[in-house]
Amino acid sequence: MVSELSPTPGARSVSADTEGPRPPMPVKMVIAGGFGVGKTTTVGAISEIEPLTTEASITSVAAGIDDLSHTPEKMTTTVAMDFGCVTLDPTLKLYLFGTPGQERFGFMWDDLVEGALGGLVIVDTRRLDDCYAAVDYFEHREIPFAVAVNAFDGKVEHDLNDVRWALDVGDHVPLTVFDARERGSVRDALLVVLEHALATAQQ
Amino acid sequence: MTVGGGVTKAGTTREVKGEDEMTAGEPSAADDAWGVEHPPSIVRPFLLTAGRIAGGDSLVPTIPIETQVVATDLGLATLDAFVFDQHRDIITICRQPQSLAEIAAKLRMHLNVIRVLADDLRADGQLALYAPQAESARDATVLRRVIDGLRAIPDSRGAIRER
């Protein structure tokens, strides 16, 4: 079904006729992190629309088990997912999807993350544990990502090197501090991810 | 378009069970808002999809959530002929290109139900679907365009980021 190449530069048509307004090419990034870490705030700070909420299905597996074939019980759960978008130009639209956080479960976001340009893992230094799952996921799927410490009060309680050590992310993973409430700060955090993705793509 | 066919075995509906517990489309001030109820539709989602689901282990192909959906002239012309409001609603809001995710959020329907309905309407020529370009995530040209586009976004004070 998703196979035909359309004459449209950018978007790939999956239907025979292409009447109507020509849509922009959609691209997406994923905003991940634990519960209440500021994912929706981040999306809302830069989105041209009020963040919308939809329900996504995620497949949860028991924590610590990576190989699905070894887990007879996998649960599909319906969770809320917040998202927003930015029209970068008439032919290009960036969607930002906040991943549903499931702190005590491993999870599969494949449906959501497939084709994403990159991921931003938001960290609250008071609750570092909450973001391990997201870091593991992006590393496992080899999706370019950066870690962004949300400085809730404009300051960070820990040295960034300590955060990097605690998260056990390699030096190749960009680590930055941002303020989820500030559009410019969110933009710059996303740029950190994209520049990392570009460097990775050019290797 | 046919909506008959009957609901398939009960097990296939597990993906969207608890539809009544789904959260509402209200953008909430709280991060990760959960568990807000919304009034259920008279027509149950699985009557509309004839029991079919998308995503997970489903045989229905998974359409990317950012896929752009636009009503075709045929879809708009047959707007009054739809039996179900949901089909008409999808065509109506797709006068302007929308992503699948936006359709689901605005119509307060499960993403996987929208996937099935949008694919039905596409098969009937009433919607055009534009999936994202394959491999764009690894395409330096695409990445540069996104970077340039983002850089042009002013911060809250209206300044443009230095290159």
Side-chain angles (χ1 to χ4, degrees):
Chain A
M1 180 205 60
V2 186
S3 57
E4 296 294 313
L5 278 169
S6 82
T8 313
R12 197 165 46 120
S13 177
V14 293
S15 73
D17 61 67
T18 53
E19 312 160 55
R22 177 172 293 184
M25 177 173 84
V27 291
K28 68 182 168 190
M29 295 178 72
V30 176
I31 313 294
F35 183 81
V37 79
K39 297 192 291 289
T40 304
T41 306
T42 301
V43 172
I46 198 162
S47 174
E48 67 201 17
I49 59 170
E50 281 291 310
L52 293 167
T53 304
T54 188
E55 290 76 37
S57 295
I58 62 167
T59 307
S60 314
V61 298
I65 300 174
D66 293 320
D67 187 352
L68 272 183
S69 64
H70 293 175
T71 57
E73 286 292 320
K74 61 173 184 173
M75 279 184 334
T76 300
T77 326
T78 293
V79 294
M81 174 180 73
D82 293 320
F83 67 96
C85 57
V86 187
T87 301
L88 298 174
D89 68 52
T91 63
L92 187 63
K93 192 168 183 179
L94 173 64
Y95 284 88
L96 300 170
F97 289 98
T99 56
Q102 292 280 93
E103 292 76 42
R104 285 185 296 276
F105 293 100
F107 39 83
M108 289 181 63
W109 298 325
D110 295 6
D111 180 20
L112 176 63
V113 166
E114 182 67 39
L117 301 182
L120 185 69
V121 179
I122 304 178
V123 171
D124 178 348
T125 54
R126 295 164 298 188
R127 291 176 295 159
L128 280 178
D129 288 3
D130 286 358
C131 71
Y132 289 147
V135 168
D136 284 350
Y137 183 85
F138 287 129
E139 282 188 333
H140 187 69
R141 289 289 312 272
E142 297 183 340
I143 290 166
F145 72 100
V147 175
V149 176
N150 190 359
F152 284 95
D153 308 313
K155 60 181 185 210
V156 181
E157 311 232 337
H158 296 77
D159 186 274
L160 277 188
N161 287 327
D162 294 343
V163 174
R164 181 182 293 280
W165 178 83
L167 291 180
D168 192 26
V169 290
D171 288 339
H172 63 283
V173 177
L175 187 58
T176 186
V177 178
F178 85 125
D179 185 333
R181 301 163 299 186
E182 293 286 334
R183 181 160 62 161
S185 187
V186 171
R187 171 200 61 207
D188 292 347
L190 295 176
L191 283 168
V192 168
V193 177
L194 291 167
E195 278 155 9
H196 176 52
L198 180 59
T200 307
Q202 287 173 328
Q203 273 172 9
Chain B
M1 151 171 140
T2 313
V3 193
V7 175
T8 55
K9 65 183 193 305
T12 59
T13 64
R14 68 186 162 81
E15 290 253 346
V16 283
K17 71 181 173 185
E19 188 261 349
D20 288 334
E21 298 144 30
M22 293 197 303
T23 56
E26 286 181 7
S28 144
D31 202 349
D32 307 306
W34 292 65
V36 185
E37 292 195 17
H38 66 90
S41 163
I42 295 167
V43 179
R44 309 309 296 159
F46 287 98
L47 175 59
L48 286 166
T49 69
R52 292 162 299 154
I53 53 167
D57 301 326
S58 164
L59 294 177
V60 180
T62 299
I63 307 168
I65 51 180
E66 70 273 32
T67 297
Q68 300 289 295
V69 186
V70 193
T72 62
D73 292 343
L74 176 65
L76 292 171
T78 51
L79 205 52
D80 295 331
F82 289 110
V83 174
F84 293 112
D85 290 345
Q86 285 83 350
H87 294 135
R88 186 160 47 237
D89 290 347
I90 292 173
I91 299 287
T92 302
I93 69 165
C94 290
R95 287 174 192 272
Q96 292 301 315
Q98 308 269 330
S99 64
L100 279 182
E102 285 164 290
I103 299 169
K106 290 173 183 173
L107 299 183
R108 300 191 175 190
M109 291 174 71
H110 194 285
L111 192 56
N112 286 341
V113 172
I114 293 293
R115 280 187 163 122
V116 172
L117 298 183
D119 196 46
D120 284 344
L121 292 167
R122 177 202 59 80
D124 290 346
Q126 291 152 331
L127 283 181
L129 270 61
Y130 297 84
Q133 195 178 51
E135 299 300 316
S136 63
R138 301 284 174 273
D139 184 334
T141 310
V142 171
L143 287 164
R144 279 198 199 92
R145 285 180 61 201
V146 179
I147 288 170
D148 289 345
L150 266 182
R151 277 180 178 151
I153 292 175
D155 60 25
S156 302
R157 293 179 302 280
I160 291 180
R161 183 181 185 265
E162 293 287 316
R163 288 217 171 198

Coordinates of all heavy atoms in Angstrom, one line a residue, chain A residues 58-62 68 73-77 102 105-108:
Chain A
I58 N 0.8 1.4 22.9 CA 2.2 1.0 23.1 C 2.2 -0.4 23.7 O 1.3 -0.8 24.4 CB 3.0 2.0 24.0 CG1 2.4 2.0 25.4 CG2 3.1 3.3 23.5 CD1 3.3 2.6 26.5
T59 N 3.2 -1.1 23.3 CA 3.4 -2.5 23.8 C 4.4 -2.5 24.9 O 5.5 -2.1 24.8 CB 3.9 -3.4 22.6 OG1 3.1 -3.2 21.5 CG2 3.9 -4.8 23.1
S60 N 3.9 -2.9 26.1 CA 4.7 -2.9 27.3 C 5.2 -4.3 27.5 O 4.5 -5.2 27.4 CB 3.9 -2.4 28.5 OG 3.2 -1.3 28.2
V61 N 6.5 -4.3 27.9 CA 7.0 -5.6 28.3 C 7.6 -5.4 29.7 O 7.9 -4.3 30.1 CB 8.1 -6.2 27.3 CG1 7.4 -6.4 26.0 CG2 9.2 -5.2 27.2
A62 N 7.9 -6.5 30.4 CA 8.4 -6.4 31.7 C 9.8 -5.7 31.7 O 10.5 -5.9 30.8 CB 8.6 -7.8 32.3
L68 N 11.8 -9.5 22.9 CA 10.4 -9.8 23.0 C 10.1 -11.3 22.9 O 9.1 -11.8 23.4 CB 9.6 -9.1 21.9 CG 9.2 -7.7 22.2 CD1 8.4 -7.1 21.0 CD2 8.3 -7.7 23.5
E73 N 4.3 -12.7 27.8 CA 3.2 -11.7 28.1 C 3.7 -10.3 27.6 O 4.6 -9.7 28.2 CB 3.0 -11.6 29.6 CG 2.2 -12.8 30.1 CD 0.8 -12.8 29.6 OE1 0.2 -11.7 29.6 OE2 0.3 -13.9 29.3
K74 N 3.1 -9.9 26.5 CA 3.3 -8.5 26.2 C 2.0 -7.8 26.2 O 1.0 -8.3 25.6 CB 4.1 -8.2 24.9 CG 3.5 -8.8 23.7 CD 4.4 -8.3 22.5 CE 3.7 -8.7 21.2 NZ 4.4 -8.2 20.0
M75 N 1.9 -6.7 26.8 CA 0.6 -6.0 26.9 C 0.6 -4.8 26.0 O 1.5 -4.0 26.0 CB 0.5 -5.5 28.4 CG 0.1 -6.5 29.4 SD -0.2 -5.7 31.0 CE 0.9 -4.3 31.0
T76 N -0.5 -4.6 25.4 CA -0.7 -3.4 24.6 C -1.6 -2.5 25.4 O -2.7 -2.9 25.8 CB -1.4 -3.7 23.2 OG1 -0.5 -4.6 22.5 CG2 -1.5 -2.5 22.4
T77 N -1.1 -1.3 25.6 CA -1.8 -0.3 26.4 C -2.1 0.9 25.6 O -1.3 1.3 24.7 CB -0.9 0.1 27.6 OG1 -0.1 -1.0 28.0 CG2 -1.7 0.6 28.7
Q102 N 6.4 5.5 30.5 CA 6.1 4.3 31.3 C 7.3 4.0 32.2 O 8.1 3.3 31.7 CB 5.7 3.1 30.4 CG 4.5 3.3 29.6 CD 3.2 3.0 30.4 OE1 2.6 3.9 31.0 NE2 2.8 1.8 30.6
F105 N 8.1 0.2 33.1 CA 8.0 -0.8 32.0 C 9.1 -0.5 30.9 O 9.4 0.7 30.7 CB 6.7 -0.8 31.3 CG 5.6 -1.3 32.2 CD1 4.7 -0.4 32.8 CD2 5.4 -2.6 32.4 CE1 3.7 -0.8 33.6 CE2 4.4 -3.1 33.2 CZ 3.5 -2.2 33.8
G106 N 9.6 -1.5 30.3 CA 10.2 -1.3 29.0 C 9.1 -1.0 28.1 O 7.9 -1.2 28.4
F107 N 9.3 -0.6 26.9 CA 8.2 -0.3 26.0 C 8.7 -0.3 24.6 O 9.9 -0.2 24.3 CB 7.6 1.1 26.3 CG 8.6 2.1 26.7 CD1 9.3 2.8 25.7 CD2 8.9 2.4 28.0 CE1 10.2 3.7 26.0 CE2 9.9 3.3 28.3 CZ 10.5 4.0 27.4
M108 N 7.8 -0.4 23.7 CA 8.1 -0.3 22.3 C 7.3 0.9 21.7 O 6.1 1.0 21.8 CB 7.6 -1.5 21.6 CG 8.5 -2.7 22.0 SD 7.9 -4.2 21.1 CE 8.2 -3.7 19.4

